[in-house]
Amino acid sequence: MSVLTALAGCGLPEGLSMKDVQTYETAVASIGCVMRTEADYLPVELQTGFTREQVVGLTEYQLATGKAEQLEDGGAKLTTGACA
């Protein structure tokens, strides 16, 4: 079980707003909608100014709310907004 699967039941990360969710979604869309490796997380962190913990938390939030799907390799694919 991946970390994303284990924590997918979490709500919006503390200190983040729905505006931050939109910022995250835009950044993830710019890298192809899939969060899988360091090469995916780093550009999202740089674009948003969020920490790794916040980006992981937002990915978990998207999984928990059905706006992303868990991939077999442990990654997550955003399925909302520009990634729909």
Side-chain angles (χ1 to χ4, degrees), residues 11-69:
L12 190 61
E14 186 176 335
L16 296 178
S17 68
M18 291 310 294
K19 184 175 187 322
D20 294 325
V21 172
Q22 293 172 338
T23 300
Y24 164 88
E25 289 175 353
T26 300
V28 174
S30 78
I31 60 142
C33 301
V34 175
M35 298 295 285
R36 182 178 288 127
T37 66
E38 179 76 13
D40 304 316
Y41 281 87
L42 189 57
V44 171
E45 292 167 22
L46 292 172
Q47 287 182 55
T48 61
F50 300 150
T51 65
R52 173 65 55 98
E53 182 178 82
Q54 289 172 313
V55 171
V56 169
L58 285 164
T59 303
E60 293 164 355
Y61 173 78
Q62 297 288 22
L63 287 165
T65 58
K67 295 180 179 179
E69 60 185 29

